Amino acid sequence: MNLETVERLLSITTPFYKKVNFLWHGGEPLLMGLDFYKEVLQRQKKANCNIKNSMQSNLTLMTPEFAVFLKENDFGISSSYDGVCNQLLRGYDEAILQGRQMVIQQDRNCGLIMVASQKNIHSLIDSYIFFNDKCINYSLNLYLDLKGWENPSLKLDETVSIEQINKLFTYWVHDKNGKIVISYFKHILEFILFKKKSLCTYTSCLGRWIGIRPNGEIVPCNRYFPINYSFGNVFNYSNIGEAFESEGFITILNEAIARREKCKLCDIYDFCNGGCNNDALNEKGIENNGGLKCKVLISVYRHIKDFVDFITSSQIEFGNYNPKFEEMLRKSLAKSS
């Protein structure tokens, strides 16, 4: 993305909102170089708007100078790392972890995202032990084929996925030496205990999130969407709100509503709100539910809900569970008392 596109994006967003979040994604955002982000910040500071920057990077190009810059300018940052199978699936083990170390040396958090696929689904507990030993909080995402880009060697089996993720939860929640949070479980627990939701996957992103391609094209989010879901281009609008009147936005909105109408009879609808539009797109189409991620989430949610209901229905013996889980449980009990 060039600076002209950045300037245009700022001009059609910041005058109309009190707060705008920029998530620099890719590709690899560090490839743009430090001077690019310094110039972006100079332009952002001219806006009468509260702007927050975040970055999703593979960290292999991280330098001490870049890490200092991120801290001084309050950038959030995260990366991806596929647990004990990372070298097999992504490579660059050492470079990723060294890059993360540069970030945390600046007192910045740097959580990781682990993608679970057929190649590592049976090592989820081993990967948790790896992350726990290094005190790294992480999120668990399920691999999903893109239409036209199927990879049979990575494709997950529904039954195996449910079994292995439930085993991971049981191991994590009973780990008295647990030092980290697995976000996949945290989001479910926060809803069960507090009715709290924060992840875009489980709330309607439409009208709140957009993806901007390097040429200024506006799409629903950073993930891939076909051209019929394009919201137009930043150079065609004087106010970003106009993008939410585009044919592409109306198309995805109507399809998402159709899916959610089908989802309303599900017992976890209040939690997932029909799930992610992009997941649905690549499973059965945006207007349909019932794909792998949907079925796995339903089973895992019920497993966790049954566990929470069981232990809260009797005298809770603190000290027998993961301290991170017990911390959430104590807050819930304090709130309800």
Side-chain angles (χ1 to χ4, degrees), residues 114-294:
M114 174 182 170
V115 177
S117 68
Q118 184 184 146
K119 290 190 175 182
N120 65 1
I121 192 69
H122 290 282
S123 60
L124 295 185
I125 292 176
D126 290 337
S127 290
Y128 162 69
I129 293 171
F130 169 85
F131 288 125
N132 193 57
D133 287 344
K134 294 183 177 295
C135 294
I136 299 175
N137 293 320
Y138 71 103
S139 176
L140 186 69
N141 286 357
L142 304 189
Y143 171 81
L144 188 65
D145 276 329
L146 295 179
K147 286 183 179 178
W149 298 88
E150 291 79 8
N151 189 332
S153 70
L154 295 175
K155 189 172 183 178
L156 287 164
D157 175 83
E158 176 189 324
T159 302
V160 172
S161 299
I162 292 169
E163 177 187 75
Q164 295 301 316
I165 294 173
N166 283 342
K167 282 183 178 179
L168 174 63
F169 173 77
T170 299
Y171 187 95
W172 173 81
V173 82
H174 287 96
D175 182 11
K176 297 178 185 179
N177 297 313
K179 296 173 283 188
I180 64 170
V181 169
I182 302 174
S183 294
Y184 188 87
F185 301 145
K186 177 187 176 185
H187 290 300
I188 294 174
L189 287 166
E190 285 184 336
F191 183 77
I192 293 171
L193 296 172
F194 310 109
K195 299 302 177 187
K196 176 184 175 182
K197 292 199 288 186
S198 56
L199 193 64
C200 64
T201 306
Y202 306 137
T203 58
S204 179
C205 61
L206 296 176
R208 302 180 187 182
W209 286 90
I210 52 174
I212 309 296
R213 302 294 185 227
N215 65 355
E217 183 189 2
I218 308 169
V219 290
C221 75
N222 61 286
R223 296 182 176 185
Y224 171 74
F225 283 86
I227 189 66
N228 56 306
Y229 296 110
S230 172
F231 299 171
N233 196 288
V234 296
F235 291 101
N236 297 333
Y237 300 128
S238 58
N239 180 334
I240 195 64
E242 298 170 48
F244 304 128
E245 300 172 0
S246 66
E247 184 176 340
F249 180 81
I250 293 169
T251 297
I252 192 172
L253 178 63
N254 287 336
E255 292 181 4
I257 290 171
R259 182 179 77 258
R260 287 175 178 135
E261 285 299 315
K262 299 173 185 176
C263 291
K264 284 183 177 178
L265 295 176
C266 177
D267 60 326
I268 78 161
Y269 176 75
D270 286 345
F271 167 63
C272 79
N273 198 38
C276 172
N277 292 320
N278 192 263
D279 288 347
L281 169 70
N282 287 294
E283 292 189 311
K284 295 189 173 185
I286 292 177
E287 67 275 23
N288 295 309
N289 57 7
L292 178 135
K293 282 195 173 183
C294 172

Side-chain angles (χ1 to χ4, degrees), residues 23-35:
L23 171 55
W24 300 96
H25 216 283
E28 172 47 52
L30 291 181
L31 281 168
M32 295 302 295
L34 191 51
D35 288 343

